[in-house]
Amino acid sequence: MGTMQTMHLHANNANLVQAAGLLQSGGLVAFPTETVYGLGADARNAKAVASVYGAKGRPSFNPLIVHVPNVASAQKYVVWNETAQQLADQFWPGALTMVLPLREGHGLSYLVTAGLNTLAIRVPNHPTAQRLLELANAPIAAPSANPSGRISPTTAQHVLDGLSGKIAAVLDDGACLVGLESTILGLTPHVALLRHGGIAVEVIEKTLSIDLPQEASKTITAPGQMESHYAPNEAVRLNASYAESGELFLGFGPITCDLNLSQDADLIEAAANLFDHLHQLDKIGKPIAIAPIPQTGLGCAINDRLRRAAAPR
Ligand code: TXA
Ligand code: MG
């Protein structure tokens, strides 16, 4: 694809209007959500969606998440049910993506769902994302705004590092507060965890009063489910109690290290720092050793991402 000048737009009102106009004319705009930066395209425009795959270098059979401003908009595209309503009441806007049956007459490009008869949909909890969705007045397909297989972006600079010259613009509204992608639940109709993410499984189980099977990664073959993903350039070694010589050490808790996910061993803080710290260490260009992270709450999602970052390529 040809090189273009990617605009770096601060998220003020004039720039939001411009970004919405770019989306409406089929352009690609990266925008902040509370989880990670997304690479947005009008989900009804097949050309725009195709160029998302082109910019990311992503295999085109992988379905995308559609972003909408509220439940009423979601209901235009999916067949709604009681569990979806219960989850939306509790978690939307927020870091939960629901996979529901596509509704007849949805009008979305087949590329968005990669031909599946289900759709992944979410209402992001971020004022800039919300305003952009309202101004664009369109369902916006948005994968994380990183080249396929690389670390997800939690700042506009991360987006530019990976996609500058390949997208029309990035809307900059600082760092993402959650820092991990959304949790994905299948509801077709049995509730199944498809990806660990920004909302801990325990919290969802409590809301629905059920036990979710803990085999997130086995059910679908897609970017977030591939063995090697979120990968820095150099090797990654997990559950390290110290760095070997030549390694950088990414710590957790009160230890000596090059960068610490959370000095206080706070999993929420660790999630917010995860991708940023991996980006920072990756820039130094040495193998990375990573301290153990407890497998509870957001630790499950953090460990999932770390396993993929460390997987053989
Ligand atoms: O937090 C997030 O979810 C971010 C922000 C931008 O919203 N988006 C994101 O998108 O992480 P992406 O494309 O990197 O990951 C989307 C995941 C993929 O693993 C894909 O397989 C899954 O959603 N997915 C999409 N549609 C699906 C469907 N119909 N059934 C099952 N999985 C689906
Ligand atoms: Mg991604």
Side-chain angles (χ1 to χ4, degrees):
M1 74 184 297
T3 296
M4 60 179 94
Q5 182 74 37
T6 299
M7 285 182 279
H8 185 170
L9 303 174
H10 290 277
N12 60 35
N13 204 52
N15 285 340
L16 273 156
V17 170
Q18 184 177 8
L22 288 167
L23 286 169
Q24 287 168 338
S25 56
L28 302 188
V29 176
F31 63 97
T33 79
E34 78 279 32
T35 60
V36 300
Y37 274 71
L39 179 57
D42 183 339
R44 301 163 304 188
N45 180 332
K47 260 190 168 167
V49 177
S51 61
V52 167
Y53 294 114
K56 283 183 63 92
R58 175 190 266 198
S60 58
F61 44 81
N62 296 311
L64 305 177
I65 298 173
V66 166
H67 297 69
V68 290
N70 49 48
V71 169
S73 320
Q75 289 171 336
K76 293 190 226 165
Y77 307 107
V78 291
V79 182
W80 203 241
N81 65 41
E82 241 173 78
T83 309
Q85 186 61 49
Q86 212 180 336
L87 290 166
D89 287 342
Q90 190 72 27
F91 299 113
W92 278 4
L96 178 72
T97 295
M98 298 190 221
V99 174
L100 288 158
L102 259 176
R103 184 169 166 167
E104 203 155 332
H106 54 78
L108 304 178
S109 155
Y110 287 107
L111 268 182
V112 170
T113 56
L116 298 173
N117 55 11
T118 56
L119 178 69
I121 195 157
R122 121 174 154 89
V123 175
N125 184 17
H126 191 291
T128 292
Q130 282 277 338
R131 264 180 279 142
L132 182 68
L133 292 172
E134 272 156 22
L135 289 167
N137 190 27
I140 299 298
S144 51
N146 52 283
S148 190
R150 314 305 305 186
I151 307 162
S152 292
T154 56
T155 66
Q157 192 55 51
H158 296 158
V159 175
L160 290 169
D161 290 347
L163 297 177
S164 186
K166 295 182 170 168
I167 65 177
V170 56
L171 265 176
D172 189 342
D173 200 4
C176 303
L177 285 179
V178 176
L180 281 174
E181 295 88 342
S182 59
T183 301
I184 305 183
L185 278 189
L187 293 173
T188 58
H190 296 290
V191 187
L193 177 68
L194 301 181
R195 179 176 75 182
H196 282 287
I199 292 176
V201 171
E202 295 92 323
V203 183
I204 296 167
E205 289 179 324
K206 211 167 159 203
T207 298
L208 297 180
S209 309
I210 56 165
D211 281 332
L212 280 172
Q214 296 278 316
E215 36 179 289
S217 53
K218 306 233 165 80
T219 30
I220 46 174
T221 310
Q225 278 64 39
M226 281 174 183
E227 276 311 311
S228 169
H229 200 68
Y230 308 100
N233 287 303
E234 299 281 337
V236 172
R237 188 167 66 85
L238 302 182
N239 297 314
S241 25
Y242 55 88
E244 308 274 2
S245 93
E247 279 181 337
L248 297 166
F249 193 29
L250 179 58
F252 177 81
I255 54 174
T256 306
C257 51
D258 295 285
L259 276 179
N260 202 321
L261 289 171
S262 172
Q263 192 80 39
D264 302 332
D266 174 349
L267 288 166
I268 296 174
E269 184 183 18
N273 285 331
L274 177 67
F275 291 140
D276 181 69
H277 286 8
L278 287 174
H279 275 281
Q280 284 193 49
L281 295 176
D282 197 24
K283 280 202 172 149
I284 299 171
K286 291 182 183 171
I288 304 168
I290 305 180
I293 311 290
Q295 183 70 7
T296 167
L298 288 190
C300 297
I302 295 172
N303 283 321
D304 171 79
R305 302 304 187 273
L306 288 176
R307 270 194 302 277
R308 293 172 208 284
R313 327 221 171 121

